[in-house]
Amino acid sequence: MNALTRIWSDGRRAERIAYAVGAALFLSGAAHALVLIATGGSWLGPLSMRKAVTFGLSFGLTLASVAWATSFLTMRPRARNVLLGAFTAASVAEVALVSMQAWRGVPSHFDFETSFDSFVSMTLAAGGGVLVLTVIGFTATALVEPGPAAPSLRLAVRAGLAVLLVALATGAVMIGRGVVAARGGDPQLAYTTAGSLKPLHAVAMHAILVLPALAWILRFTGHSEAHRLRVVQTAVAADAVLTAVIGVESFTGIDPLAAPLPLMLLSALAAAVLAGTGIHALSGIEPAVRFVRVLNGKARGR
């Protein structure tokens, strides 16, 4: 628990702001989920309150994850504040505008029916561009600066940022495809073509939390740094395979839940390996190890 509270207490001002804003966005998504359940609304379609739910939950978690993962980078304070401040502002804008349109009962994306809706759609697209640019800035820094001393954590942060870029680039492709279709007079096609890439966008979005969290948890185990690095390398490889398989399925129009058996087996194996690294890390935390040793000692003494 002390390790978790230190993330807040040791955080820089920009990071603490991002944590607080991320928590507010996450709570917004949770509140919209309660509204959706209470009203019995549909979970499907561009007019569903679901979008306010998913954007709030996802951006809240991603913002906090980015702030925490990039706290390990070696950066000039001003550059860090600018990049993280821009990412925070863009995240707020995305969630706020999507939620507003959900309450108005109109689509948040690819809606050019009125000048105001066109402004909202283009602002969301611009916000996505800001997110991409800021993550490019963080990724470039992670690749050229020393970063965390531990190679395992350094690899996890770099890989997490790289996969996050995949997610954001996928989002940009979704927006581009949708805008072209909507401007061409077929808004339904816009949602269909953009929606086909959602699985890749979703899977790649949260590697920035999963991979650095794995490396961070491993620091509290009794394993050597060489062992921790091998575990993180395994997780990075598994995540890359899972992202690649989902990417192939998304861009070829294959439903991940109805994919050919070889693809399903490969993605299931990658997910299992990724989960296995997490279980391995958690099982090796020092208090847990000492607890197991105590239990074993008591058992032998019986």
Side-chain angles (χ1 to χ4, degrees):
M1 183 60 70
N2 288 337
L4 292 175
T5 57
R6 285 185 59 186
I7 292 176
W8 172 268
S9 61
D10 294 348
R12 304 168 183 85
R13 183 170 180 268
E15 291 158 4
R16 289 198 297 270
I17 291 174
Y19 297 147
V21 173
L25 296 180
F26 190 89
L27 289 175
S28 170
H32 281 99
L34 293 176
V35 171
L36 184 55
I37 294 171
T39 59
S42 173
W43 288 85
L44 303 175
L47 304 183
S48 172
M49 188 70 72
R50 178 204 79 255
K51 296 192 70 174
V53 175
T54 56
F55 268 68
L57 296 178
S58 184
F59 268 100
L61 193 59
T62 300
L63 173 57
S65 301
V66 168
W68 173 68
T70 57
S71 69
F72 297 106
L73 299 180
T74 305
M75 297 184 68
R76 294 180 180 179
R78 186 167 185 175
R80 184 190 304 277
N81 292 340
V82 168
L83 290 176
L84 189 53
F87 194 94
T88 301
S91 298
V92 171
E94 295 287 306
V95 175
L97 291 177
V98 167
S99 300
M100 178 190 69
Q101 295 295 77
W103 281 101
R104 292 181 64 225
V106 297
S108 55
H109 294 81
F110 321 134
D111 184 3
F112 304 103
E113 291 297 320
T114 68
S115 57
F116 179 76
D117 292 327
S118 296
F119 171 77
V120 170
S121 293
M122 298 314 295
T123 301
L124 287 169
V130 172
L131 294 172
V132 171
L133 291 175
T134 55
V135 175
I136 288 176
F138 280 130
T139 306
T141 300
L143 293 175
V144 302
E145 296 292 343
S152 57
L153 183 57
R154 186 161 61 245
L155 172 62
V157 172
R158 288 174 174 176
L161 286 169
V163 180
L164 178 59
L165 265 181
V166 172
L168 295 177
T170 303
V173 173
M174 291 167 63
I175 291 174
R177 284 183 171 185
V179 168
V180 170
R183 291 292 192 184
D186 193 346
Q188 186 56 48
L189 178 62
Y191 299 114
T192 301
T193 56
S196 66
L197 298 180
K198 283 183 180 179
L200 174 59
H201 183 64
V203 168
M205 194 75 170
H206 300 297
I208 188 59
L209 171 61
V210 173
L211 297 177
L214 172 66
W216 182 74
I217 291 171
L218 284 166
R219 297 167 66 185
F220 300 96
T221 67
H223 301 303
S224 66
E225 173 55 25
H227 178 86
R228 296 198 295 264
L229 179 59
R230 287 194 295 271
V231 174
V232 172
Q233 288 172 335
T234 301
V236 169
D239 187 77
V241 170
L242 179 61
T243 302
V245 172
I246 299 298
V248 169
E249 292 172 347
S250 296
F251 278 99
T252 56
I254 298 175
D255 183 349
L257 299 179
L261 185 59
L263 289 179
M264 292 191 71
L265 289 176
L266 187 57
S267 59
L269 177 61
V273 171
L274 188 59
T277 60
I279 294 171
H280 173 73
L282 290 171
S283 65
I285 295 177
E286 283 297 335
V289 172
R290 288 197 295 269
F291 180 69
V292 171
R293 287 173 179 169
V294 170
L295 290 180
N296 288 339
K298 290 180 177 180
R300 286 194 295 269
R302 290 176 180 174

